[in-house]
Coordinates of all heavy atoms in Angstrom, one line a residue:
H538 N 100.6 102.6 104.0 CA 100.1 104.0 104.0 C 101.1 104.9 103.4 O 102.3 104.9 103.8 CB 99.7 104.3 105.5 CG 99.3 105.7 105.6 ND1 99.9 106.6 106.5 CD2 98.3 106.4 105.1 CE1 99.2 107.8 106.5 NE2 98.2 107.6 105.6
Q539 N 100.7 105.7 102.4 CA 101.6 106.7 101.8 C 101.3 108.0 102.5 O 100.1 108.4 102.6 CB 101.4 106.8 100.3 CG 102.2 105.8 99.5 CD 102.3 106.2 98.1 OE1 101.4 106.8 97.6 NE2 103.3 105.8 97.4
V540 N 102.4 108.7 102.9 CA 102.2 110.0 103.4 C 102.8 111.0 102.4 O 104.0 110.9 102.1 CB 103.0 110.2 104.8 CG1 102.8 111.6 105.3 CG2 102.4 109.1 105.8
M541 N 102.0 112.0 102.0 CA 102.5 113.0 101.0 C 102.4 114.3 101.7 O 101.3 114.7 102.1 CB 101.7 112.9 99.8 CG 101.8 111.6 99.1 SD 100.6 111.1 97.8 CE 100.5 112.5 96.8
T542 N 103.6 115.0 101.9 CA 103.6 116.3 102.5 C 104.2 117.3 101.5 O 105.2 117.1 100.9 CB 104.5 116.3 103.8 OG1 104.0 115.3 104.6 CG2 104.5 117.6 104.5
A543 N 103.4 118.4 101.3 CA 103.8 119.4 100.4 C 104.3 120.6 101.2 O 103.9 120.9 102.3 CB 102.7 119.9 99.5
V544 N 105.3 121.3 100.6 CA 105.9 122.5 101.2 C 105.9 123.6 100.0 O 106.3 123.3 98.9 CB 107.3 122.3 101.7 CG1 107.9 123.6 102.2 CG2 107.3 121.3 102.9
A545 N 105.5 124.8 100.4 CA 105.6 125.9 99.4 C 106.2 127.1 100.1 O 105.9 127.3 101.3 CB 104.3 126.3 98.8
V546 N 107.1 127.8 99.5 CA 107.7 129.0 100.0 C 107.5 130.1 98.9 O 107.5 129.8 97.7 CB 109.2 128.9 100.3 CG1 109.4 127.9 101.5 CG2 110.0 128.5 99.1
A547 N 107.2 131.3 99.4 CA 106.9 132.4 98.4 C 107.6 133.6 98.8 O 107.7 133.9 100.0 CB 105.4 132.6 98.4
R548 N 108.1 134.4 97.8 CA 108.6 135.7 98.0 C 108.3 136.5 96.8 O 108.6 136.1 95.7 CB 110.1 135.6 98.3 CG 110.7 137.0 98.6 CD 112.2 136.9 98.9 NE 113.0 136.6 97.8 CZ 114.3 136.5 97.8 NH1 115.0 136.6 98.9 NH2 115.0 136.3 96.7
N549 N 107.7 137.6 97.0 CA 107.3 138.5 95.9 C 106.4 137.6 95.0 O 105.4 137.0 95.5 CB 108.5 139.1 95.2 CG 109.3 139.9 96.2 OD1 108.8 140.6 97.1 ND2 110.6 139.9 96.0
A550 N 106.7 137.6 93.8 CA 105.8 136.8 92.8 C 106.3 135.4 92.6 O 105.7 134.7 91.8 CB 105.8 137.6 91.5
E551 N 107.4 135.0 93.2 CA 108.0 133.7 93.0 C 107.5 132.7 94.1 O 107.5 133.0 95.3 CB 109.5 133.7 93.1 CG 110.1 132.4 92.8 CD 111.6 132.4 92.9 OE1 112.2 133.5 93.3 OE2 112.2 131.4 92.7
V552 N 107.0 131.5 93.7 CA 106.6 130.5 94.5 C 107.4 129.2 94.2 O 107.5 128.9 93.0 CB 105.1 130.2 94.4 CG1 104.7 129.0 95.3 CG2 104.3 131.4 94.8
R553 N 107.9 128.6 95.2 CA 108.7 127.3 95.0 C 107.9 126.3 95.8 O 107.5 126.5 97.0 CB 110.1 127.4 95.5 CG 110.9 128.5 94.8 CD 112.3 128.6 95.5 NE 113.0 129.7 94.8 CZ 114.2 130.1 95.3 NH1 114.7 129.5 96.4 NH2 114.8 131.0 94.7
S554 N 107.7 125.1 95.2 CA 107.0 124.1 96.0 C 107.5 122.7 95.6 O 108.1 122.5 94.5 CB 105.5 124.1 95.7 OG 105.2 123.9 94.3
A555 N 107.3 121.7 96.5 CA 107.7 120.3 96.2 C 106.8 119.5 97.1 O 106.2 119.9 98.1 CB 109.1 120.2 96.6
V556 N 106.8 118.2 96.8 CA 106.0 117.2 97.5 C 107.0 116.1 97.9 O 107.8 115.6 97.0 CB 104.8 116.6 96.7 CG1 104.2 115.5 97.5 CG2 103.9 117.7 96.4
E557 N 107.0 115.7 99.1 CA 107.8 114.6 99.6 C 106.9 113.4 99.9 O 105.8 113.6 100.5 CB 108.6 115.0 100.9 CG 109.6 114.1 101.4 CD 110.9 114.2 100.7 OE1 111.2 115.3 100.1 OE2 111.7 113.3 100.8
I558 N 107.3 112.2 99.6 CA 106.4 111.0 99.8 C 107.2 110.0 100.6 O 108.3 109.7 100.3 CB 106.0 110.4 98.5 CG1 105.2 111.4 97.7 CG2 105.1 109.1 98.8 CD1 104.8 110.9 96.3
S559 N 106.6 109.5 101.7 CA 107.1 108.4 102.5 C 106.1 107.3 102.6 O 104.9 107.6 102.5 CB 107.5 108.9 103.9 OG 108.6 109.8 103.9
A560 N 106.5 106.1 102.8 CA 105.6 105.0 103.0 C 105.7 104.4 104.4 O 106.8 104.3 104.9 CB 105.9 103.9 102.0
V561 N 104.6 104.0 105.0 CA 104.5 103.5 106.3 C 103.8 102.1 106.2 O 102.7 102.0 105.7 CB 103.8 104.4 107.3 CG1 103.7 103.7 108.7 CG2 104.4 105.7 107.4
E562 N 104.5 101.1 106.8 CA 103.9 99.7 106.8 C 103.6 99.4 108.3 O 104.5 99.4 109.1 CB 104.8 98.7 106.1 CG 104.2 97.3 106.1 CD 105.1 96.3 105.6 OE1 106.0 96.6 104.7 OE2 105.0 95.1 105.9
M563 N 102.4 99.1 108.6 CA 102.0 98.7 109.9 C 102.0 97.2 110.0 O 101.7 96.5 109.0 CB 100.6 99.2 110.2 CG 100.4 100.6 110.2 SD 101.1 101.4 111.6 CE 100.4 103.1 111.4
R564 N 102.3 96.7 111.2 CA 102.2 95.2 111.5 C 100.7 95.0 111.7 O 99.8 95.9 111.7 CB 102.9 94.8 112.7 CG 102.4 95.5 114.0 CD 103.2 94.9 115.2 NE 102.8 95.6 116.4 CZ 101.7 95.4 117.1 NH1 100.8 94.6 116.7 NH2 101.6 96.1 118.3
E565 N 100.3 93.7 111.8 CA 98.9 93.4 112.1 C 98.6 93.8 113.5 O 99.4 93.6 114.4 CB 98.7 91.9 112.0 CG 97.2 91.5 112.0 CD 97.0 90.1 111.6 OE1 97.7 89.6 110.7 OE2 96.1 89.5 112.2
I566 N 97.4 94.5 113.6 CA 97.0 95.1 114.9 C 95.7 94.5 115.3 O 94.8 94.4 114.6 CB 96.8 96.6 114.8 CG1 98.1 97.3 114.2 CG2 96.5 97.3 116.1 CD1 97.9 98.7 113.7
S567 N 95.7 94.0 116.6 CA 94.5 93.4 117.1 C 93.4 94.4 117.4 O 93.7 95.6 117.6 CB 94.8 92.6 118.4 OG 95.0 93.5 119.5
E568 N 92.1 93.9 117.4 CA 91.0 94.8 117.8 C 91.2 95.5 119.1 O 91.0 96.6 119.3 CB 89.7 94.0 117.8 CG 89.2 93.6 116.4 CD 88.7 94.9 115.6 OE1 88.1 95.8 116.2 OE2 89.0 94.9 114.4
N569 N 91.8 94.7 120.1 CA 92.0 95.2 121.4 C 93.0 96.3 121.4 O 92.9 97.4 122.1 CB 92.5 94.1 122.4 CG 92.6 94.5 123.8 OD1 91.6 95.1 124.3 ND2 93.7 94.2 124.4
E570 N 94.1 96.2 120.6 CA 95.1 97.2 120.5 C 94.6 98.5 119.9 O 94.8 99.6 120.3 CB 96.3 96.7 119.6 CG 97.2 95.7 120.3 CD 98.2 95.2 119.4 OE1 97.9 94.7 118.3 OE2 99.4 95.3 119.8
I571 N 93.7 98.3 118.9 CA 93.1 99.4 118.2 C 92.2 100.2 119.2 O 92.3 101.4 119.4 CB 92.2 99.0 117.0 CG1 93.2 98.5 115.9 CG2 91.4 100.1 116.5 CD1 92.5 97.8 114.8
E572 N 91.4 99.4 120.0 CA 90.5 100.1 120.9 C 91.3 100.8 122.0 O 90.9 101.9 122.4 CB 89.6 99.0 121.6 CG 88.5 98.5 120.6 CD 87.8 97.3 121.1 OE1 87.9 96.9 122.3 OE2 87.0 96.7 120.4
E573 N 92.3 100.2 122.5 CA 93.2 100.8 123.5 C 93.8 102.1 123.0 O 93.9 103.1 123.6 CB 94.3 99.9 124.0 CG 93.8 98.8 124.9 CD 94.9 97.9 125.4 OE1 96.0 98.2 125.3 OE2 94.5 96.7 125.8
Y574 N 94.3 102.1 121.7 CA 94.9 103.3 121.1 C 93.9 104.4 120.9 O 94.1 105.5 121.2 CB 95.5 102.9 119.8 CG 96.3 104.0 119.1 CD1 97.3 104.7 119.8 CD2 95.9 104.5 117.9 CE1 98.0 105.8 119.2 CE2 96.6 105.6 117.3 CZ 97.6 106.2 118.0 OH 98.3 107.3 117.4
V575 N 92.7 104.0 120.5 CA 91.6 105.0 120.3 C 91.3 105.7 121.6 O 91.0 106.9 121.7 CB 90.4 104.4 119.6 CG1 89.2 105.4 119.6 CG2 90.7 104.1 118.1
R576 N 91.2 104.9 122.7 CA 90.9 105.4 124.0 C 91.9 106.4 124.5 O 91.6 107.3 125.3 CB 90.8 104.3 125.0 CG 89.4 103.6 125.1 CD 89.2 102.8 126.4 NE 90.1 101.6 126.5 CZ 89.8 100.5 125.9 NH1 88.7 100.3 125.2 NH2 90.6 99.4 126.0
T577 N 93.1 106.4 124.0 CA 94.1 107.4 124.4 C 93.8 108.8 123.9 O 94.2 109.8 124.4 CB 95.5 107.0 123.9 OG1 95.6 107.2 122.5 CG2 95.9 105.6 124.4
G578 N 92.9 108.8 122.8 CA 92.6 110.1 122.2 C 93.6 110.6 121.2 O 93.4 111.5 120.4
E579 N 94.8 110.0 121.2 CA 95.9 110.4 120.3 C 95.5 110.4 118.8 O 95.8 111.4 118.1 CB 97.1 109.5 120.5 CG 98.3 110.0 119.7 CD 99.5 109.1 119.9 OE1 100.3 109.5 120.8 OE2 99.7 108.1 119.2
P580 N 94.8 109.5 118.3 CA 94.5 109.5 116.8 C 93.4 110.4 116.4 O 93.2 110.6 115.2 CB 94.1 108.0 116.6 CG 93.5 107.5 117.8 CD 94.3 108.2 118.9
M581 N 92.7 111.1 117.3 CA 91.6 111.9 117.0 C 91.8 113.1 116.2 O 91.0 113.6 115.5 CB 90.7 112.2 118.2 CG 90.3 111.0 118.9 SD 89.6 109.7 117.8 CE 88.7 108.7 119.0
D582 N 93.0 113.7 116.2 CA 93.3 114.9 115.5 C 94.5 114.7 114.5 O 95.2 115.7 114.2 CB 93.5 116.1 116.4 CG 94.8 115.9 117.3 OD1 95.3 114.8 117.4 OD2 95.2 116.8 118.0
K583 N 94.7 113.5 114.1 CA 95.9 113.2 113.3 C 95.5 112.8 111.9 O 94.5 112.1 111.7 CB 96.7 112.0 113.8 CG 97.1 112.1 115.3 CD 98.1 113.2 115.5 CE 98.6 113.3 116.9 NZ 97.7 113.9 117.9
A584 N 96.2 113.3 110.9 CA 96.0 112.8 109.5 C 96.4 111.3 109.5 O 97.4 111.0 110.0 CB 96.9 113.6 108.6
G585 N 95.5 110.5 108.9 CA 95.8 109.1 109.0 C 95.4 108.4 110.3 O 95.6 107.2 110.4
A586 N 95.0 109.2 111.2 CA 94.5 108.7 112.5 C 95.6 108.0 113.4 O 95.3 107.1 114.2 CB 93.3 107.8 112.4
Y587 N 96.9 108.4 113.2 CA 97.9 107.8 114.0 C 99.1 108.8 114.1 O 99.2 109.7 113.2 CB 98.4 106.5 113.5 CG 99.2 106.5 112.3 CD1 100.6 106.6 112.3 CD2 98.6 106.5 111.0 CE1 101.4 106.6 111.2 CE2 99.4 106.6 109.9 CZ 100.7 106.6 109.9 OH 101.5 106.7 108.8
A588 N 99.9 108.7 115.1 CA 101.1 109.5 115.3 C 102.2 108.5 115.4 O 102.4 107.8 116.4 CB 101.0 110.3 116.6
I589 N 103.1 108.4 114.4 CA 104.2 107.5 114.4 C 105.2 107.8 115.5 O 105.8 106.9 116.0 CB 104.9 107.5 113.0 CG1 105.9 106.3 112.9 CG2 105.6 108.8 112.7 CD1 106.4 106.1 111.5
Q590 N 105.2 109.1 115.9 CA 106.1 109.5 117.0 C 105.5 109.3 118.4 O 106.1 109.5 119.4 CB 106.5 111.0 116.8 CG 105.4 112.0 117.1 CD 104.4 112.2 116.0 OE1 104.3 111.5 115.1 NE2 103.7 113.3 116.1
G591 N 104.3 108.8 118.4 CA 103.6 108.6 119.6 C 103.3 107.1 119.9 O 104.1 106.2 119.5
G592 N 102.1 106.8 120.4 CA 101.8 105.4 120.7 C 101.7 104.5 119.5 O 102.0 103.3 119.6
A593 N 101.4 105.0 118.3 CA 101.2 104.2 117.2 C 102.6 103.7 116.6 O 102.6 102.8 115.8 CB 100.5 104.9 116.1
G594 N 103.7 104.3 117.1 CA 105.0 103.9 116.7 C 105.2 102.4 117.0 O 105.9 101.7 116.2
A595 N 104.5 101.9 118.0 CA 104.6 100.4 118.3 C 104.0 99.5 117.2 O 104.2 98.3 117.2 CB 103.9 100.2 119.7
F596 N 103.1 100.1 116.4 CA 102.4 99.4 115.4 C 103.2 99.4 114.0 O 102.8 98.6 113.1 CB 101.0 99.9 115.1 CG 100.2 100.1 116.3 CD1 99.3 101.1 116.4 CD2 100.2 99.1 117.3 CE1 98.5 101.2 117.5 CE2 99.4 99.2 118.4 CZ 98.5 100.3 118.5
V597 N 104.2 100.2 113.9 CA 104.9 100.4 112.6 C 105.9 99.2 112.4 O 106.8 99.0 113.3 CB 105.6 101.7 112.6 CG1 106.4 101.9 111.3 CG2 104.5 102.9 112.6
R598 N 105.8 98.6 111.3 CA 106.8 97.5 111.0 C 108.0 98.2 110.4 O 109.1 97.8 110.7 CB 106.1 96.5 110.0 CG 107.1 95.5 109.5 CD 106.5 94.4 108.7 NE 105.7 93.6 109.6 CZ 104.6 92.9 109.3 NH1 104.1 93.0 108.1 NH2 103.9 92.2 110.2
R599 N 107.8 99.1 109.4 CA 108.9 99.8 108.8 C 108.3 101.0 108.0 O 107.1 101.1 107.8 CB 109.7 98.9 107.8 CG 108.9 98.4 106.6 CD 109.9 97.6 105.7 NE 109.6 96.4 105.2 CZ 109.1 95.3 105.7 NH1 108.9 95.1 106.8 NH2 108.9 94.2 105.0
F600 N 109.2 101.9 107.7 CA 108.9 103.0 106.8 C 110.0 103.4 105.9 O 111.1 103.0 106.2 CB 108.4 104.3 107.7 CG 109.6 104.9 108.4 CD1 110.3 105.9 107.8 CD2 109.9 104.5 109.7 CE1 111.4 106.5 108.5 CE2 110.9 105.1 110.4 CZ 111.7 106.2 109.8
S601 N 109.7 104.0 104.8 CA 110.7 104.5 103.9 C 110.6 106.0 103.7 O 109.5 106.5 104.0 CB 110.5 103.8 102.5 OG 109.3 104.2 101.9
G602 N 111.6 106.6 103.3 CA 111.6 108.0 103.2 C 112.0 108.7 104.5 O 112.6 108.1 105.4
E603 N 111.7 110.0 104.5 CA 112.1 110.8 105.7 C 111.0 110.8 106.8 O 109.8 111.0 106.5 CB 112.3 112.3 105.3 CG 113.4 112.5 104.2 CD 114.8 112.2 104.8 OE1 115.0 112.5 106.0 OE2 115.6 111.8 104.0
I604 N 111.4 110.6 108.1 CA 110.5 110.6 109.2 C 109.8 111.9 109.3 O 108.7 112.0 109.7 CB 111.2 110.1 110.5 CG1 110.2 109.9 111.6 CG2 112.3 111.1 110.9 CD1 109.4 108.7 111.5
D605 N 110.6 113.0 109.0 CA 110.0 114.3 109.0 C 108.8 114.5 108.1 O 107.8 115.3 108.4 CB 111.0 115.4 108.7 CG 112.1 115.6 109.7 OD1 112.0 115.0 110.8 OD2 113.1 116.3 109.4
T606 N 108.7 113.8 107.0 CA 107.6 113.8 106.1 C 106.4 113.2 106.8 O 105.3 113.7 106.6 CB 107.9 113.1 104.8 OG1 109.0 113.7 104.2 CG2 106.7 113.1 103.9
I607 N 106.6 112.1 107.6 CA 105.5 111.4 108.2 C 105.0 112.3 109.4 O 103.8 112.4 109.7 CB 105.9 110.0 108.7 CG1 106.4 109.2 107.4 CG2 104.9 109.3 109.4 CD1 107.2 108.0 107.8
V608 N 105.9 112.8 110.2 CA 105.5 113.6 111.4 C 105.0 115.0 111.0 O 104.1 115.4 111.7 CB 106.8 113.7 112.3 CG1 106.5 114.6 113.5 CG2 107.2 112.4 112.8
G609 N 105.5 115.6 110.0 CA 104.9 116.9 109.7 C 105.7 117.7 108.6 O 105.2 117.7 107.5
L610 N 106.8 118.3 108.9 CA 107.4 119.1 108.0 C 108.8 118.5 107.5 O 109.6 118.3 108.3 CB 107.8 120.5 108.6 CG 108.6 121.5 107.7 CD1 107.8 121.9 106.6 CD2 109.1 122.6 108.6
P611 N 108.9 118.2 106.2 CA 110.1 117.7 105.7 C 111.2 118.8 105.6 O 111.3 119.6 104.7 CB 109.8 117.2 104.3 CG 108.4 117.7 104.0 CD 107.8 118.3 105.2
V612 N 111.9 118.9 106.7 CA 112.9 120.0 106.9 C 113.9 120.1 105.8 O 114.2 121.2 105.3 CB 113.5 119.8 108.3 CG1 114.6 120.9 108.5 CG2 112.5 119.9 109.4
R613 N 114.5 119.0 105.5 CA 115.5 119.0 104.4 C 115.0 119.6 103.1 O 115.6 120.4 102.5 CB 116.1 117.6 104.2 CG 117.3 117.6 103.2 CD 117.9 116.3 102.9 NE 117.3 115.2 103.6 CZ 118.0 114.1 104.1 NH1 119.3 114.1 103.8 NH2 117.5 113.1 104.7
M614 N 113.8 119.2 102.7 CA 113.2 119.7 101.5 C 112.9 121.2 101.7 O 113.1 122.0 100.7 CB 111.9 119.0 101.2 CG 111.2 119.5 99.9 SD 109.8 118.5 99.5 CE 108.7 119.0 100.8
A615 N 112.3 121.6 102.8 CA 112.0 123.0 103.0 C 113.3 123.9 102.9 O 113.3 124.9 102.3 CB 111.4 123.2 104.4
L616 N 114.4 123.4 103.5 CA 115.6 124.2 103.5 C 116.2 124.2 102.0 O 116.7 125.3 101.6 CB 116.7 123.5 104.4 CG 116.4 123.7 105.9 CD1 117.4 122.9 106.7 CD2 116.4 125.1 106.3
K617 N 116.0 123.2 101.3 CA 116.4 123.2 99.9 C 115.6 124.2 99.1 O 116.2 125.0 98.3 CB 116.2 121.8 99.3 CG 116.8 121.5 98.0 CD 116.6 120.1 97.6 CE 117.6 119.6 96.6 NZ 117.4 118.3 96.2
L618 N 114.3 124.3 99.3 CA 113.5 125.3 98.6 C 113.9 126.7 99.1 O 113.9 127.6 98.2 CB 112.0 125.1 98.9 CG 111.4 123.8 98.3 CD1 110.0 123.6 98.9 CD2 111.3 124.0 96.8
L619 N 114.2 126.9 100.3 CA 114.6 128.2 100.8 C 115.9 128.6 100.3 O 116.2 129.8 100.1 CB 114.6 128.2 102.3 CG 113.2 128.2 103.0 CD1 113.3 127.9 104.5 CD2 112.4 129.4 102.8
N620 N 116.8 127.7 100.1 CA 118.2 128.0 99.7 C 118.5 127.8 98.2 O 119.7 127.9 97.8 CB 119.2 127.2 100.6 CG 119.1 127.7 102.0 OD1 119.3 128.9 102.2 ND2 118.9 126.8 102.9
R621 N 117.6 127.5 97.4 CA 117.8 127.3 96.0 C 118.4 128.6 95.4 O 118.1 129.7 95.9 CB 116.6 126.9 95.2 CG 116.9 126.3 93.8 CD 115.6 126.0 93.1 NE 114.9 124.9 93.8 CZ 113.6 124.6 93.5 NH1 112.9 125.4 92.7 NH2 113.1 123.7 94.2
D622 N 119.2 128.5 94.4 CA 119.9 129.7 93.8 C 121.1 130.1 94.8 O 121.3 129.5 95.8 CB 119.0 130.9 93.5 CG 117.9 130.5 92.6 OD1 118.1 129.6 91.7 OD2 116.8 131.1 92.7
S623 N 121.7 131.2 94.5 CA 122.8 131.6 95.3 C 122.4 132.3 96.6 O 123.2 132.4 97.6 CB 123.7 132.6 94.5 OG 123.0 133.7 94.1
E624 N 121.2 132.9 96.7 CA 120.8 133.7 97.9 C 119.6 133.0 98.5 O 118.6 132.8 97.9 CB 120.4 135.1 97.4 CG 120.3 136.0 98.6 CD 120.0 137.5 98.1 OE1 120.6 137.9 97.1 OE2 119.2 138.1 98.7
P625 N 119.8 132.7 99.8 CA 118.6 132.0 100.5 C 117.4 133.0 100.6 O 117.6 134.2 100.7 CB 119.2 131.7 101.9 CG 120.7 131.8 101.8 CD 120.9 132.8 100.6
Y626 N 116.2 132.4 100.6 CA 115.0 133.2 100.9 C 115.2 133.8 102.2 O 115.8 133.3 103.2 CB 113.8 132.3 100.9 CG 113.0 132.2 99.6 CD1 113.6 132.5 98.4 CD2 111.7 131.9 99.6 CE1 112.9 132.4 97.2 CE2 110.9 131.8 98.5 CZ 111.6 132.1 97.3 OH 110.9 132.0 96.1
G627 N 114.6 135.0 102.4 CA 114.7 135.7 103.6 C 115.8 136.7 103.7 O 115.9 137.6 104.5
R628 N 116.8 136.5 102.9 CA 118.0 137.4 102.9 C 117.9 138.4 101.7 O 117.4 138.0 100.6 CB 119.3 136.7 102.7 CG 119.7 136.0 104.0 CD 121.2 135.6 103.9 NE 121.5 134.8 105.0 CZ 122.6 134.0 105.0 NH1 123.3 133.9 103.9 NH2 122.8 133.3 106.0
R629 N 118.3 139.6 101.9 CA 118.4 140.5 100.8 C 119.7 141.2 100.8 O 120.4 141.3 101.7 CB 117.3 141.6 101.0 CG 115.9 141.0 100.8 CD 115.0 142.0 100.4 NE 113.7 141.4 100.0 CZ 113.2 141.4 98.8 NH1 113.8 142.1 97.9 NH2 112.1 140.8 98.6

């Protein structure tokens, strides 16, 4: 499963954006494990129908890239976008 998370920051007329990509490989999951996981309700409001930081973490064989990209906000990338140039966004 590839997870692609985009971040954009804007100030005045300038917009900076980037996309971070991580890959998640699941182990083989039995029908019973899937049914039990679905019964928890956890996957019902998740992109990809799983939460790597929750119960589905037990199904993950490995992942590449940043865990923040998989969970939600790629913090390192967001900070890089905010701090590009000599003056960080938000400061005047």
Side-chain angles (χ1 to χ4, degrees):
H538 176 234
Q539 274 195 330
V540 179
M541 298 164 49
T542 304
V544 174
V546 295
R548 182 173 74 180
N549 303 323
E551 182 184 5
V552 177
R553 299 173 184 173
S554 62
V556 175
E557 189 85 16
I558 301 172
S559 293
V561 179
E562 181 183 334
M563 301 285 193
R564 65 172 173 77
E565 191 167 324
I566 306 167
S567 72
E568 286 292 323
N569 188 49
E570 288 175 306
I571 293 168
E572 289 171 9
E573 286 179 22
Y574 183 59
V575 169
R576 271 196 296 277
T577 69
E579 182 178 270
M581 300 315 198
D582 64 348
K583 307 291 184 285
Y587 72 94
I589 194 170
Q590 74 278 18
F596 306 144
V597 175
R598 177 172 286 150
R599 67 175 131 308
F600 69 90
S601 65
E603 299 288 329
I604 188 75
D605 290 348
T606 301
I607 301 165
V608 173
L610 176 68
V612 175
R613 186 181 355 216
M614 181 178 66
L616 290 172
K617 191 177 202 180
L618 289 170
L619 289 166
N620 289 306
R621 194 181 298 159
D622 301 330
S623 59
E624 191 174 324
Y626 262 24
R628 284 198 188 157
R629 291 207 172 242

